Amino acid sequence: QVQLVESGGGLVQAGGSLRLSCAASGRRSLSMYNMGWFRQAPGKEREFVAAISRTGGNTYYGDSVKGRFAISRDNSKNTVTLQMNSLKAEDTAVYSCAADMGVTFYFSDYESYEYWGQGTQVTVSS
């Protein structure tokens, strides 16, 4: 298994930027996992944000964040990063990272991911 811990959340004004980090620990190399970021706001369903393949060759983004967010990974440091730019009030949510070790990669489906961090709060003020 793998343990995931998010950091970097906080309060930021609209138009600002934040960088979230997901630190992974465990017996297996981080390169064994496809990784994703999801978010959930009160009263709303969990929403796919971004995903990245095992070695970083493929990335995927939800429509609402394309062009503003960027996902990256450094397997040697066991970290996955979500750079968030041009933040909007609608981006306010708890952001969680997740790991998928399956053969198939349903990157936008939260049920595809086996391991989850506890999340970090991002609040964007208008």
Side-chain angles (χ1 to χ4, degrees), residues 22 30-31 52 54 72-81:
C22 176
L30 187 63
S31 65
I52 188 167
R54 289 178 170 87
S72 61
R73 66 191 299 161
D74 187 340
N75 290 335
S76 67
K77 297 181 179 179
N78 296 315
T79 58
V80 178
T81 298

Side-chain angles (χ1 to χ4, degrees), residues 9-122:
L11 176 64
V12 64
Q13 292 186 337
S17 299
L18 281 175
R19 178 174 292 184
L20 305 183
S21 295
C22 176
S25 61
R27 191 165 185 175
R28 294 181 178 273
S29 170
L30 187 63
S31 65
M32 296 294 295
Y33 301 92
N34 299 299
M35 300 294 295
W37 286 94
F38 290 79
R39 67 187 184 186
Q40 188 167 26
K44 297 182 179 179
E45 295 183 354
R46 189 172 349 194
E47 179 185 16
F48 169 70
V49 176
I52 188 167
S53 58
R54 289 178 170 87
T55 58
N58 295 292
T59 58
Y60 312 89
Y61 296 95
D63 290 340
S64 63
V65 305
K66 287 181 179 178
R68 300 189 298 120
F69 291 9
I71 188 171
S72 61
R73 66 191 299 161
D74 187 340
N75 290 335
S76 67
K77 297 181 179 179
N78 296 315
T79 58
V80 178
T81 298
L82 183 68
Q83 177 67 45
M84 305 186 296
N85 300 320
S86 301
L87 284 163
K88 307 174 181 178
E90 306 92 88
D91 296 319
T92 296
V94 174
Y95 285 71
S96 301
C97 68
D100 165 38
M101 202 171 63
V103 175
T104 57
F105 186 28
Y106 300 106
F107 55 85
S108 63
D109 184 1
Y110 74 90
E111 294 184 348
S112 178
Y113 295 82
E114 297 176 298
Y115 305 102
W116 293 82
Q118 295 190 83
T120 185
Q121 177 70 47
V122 172

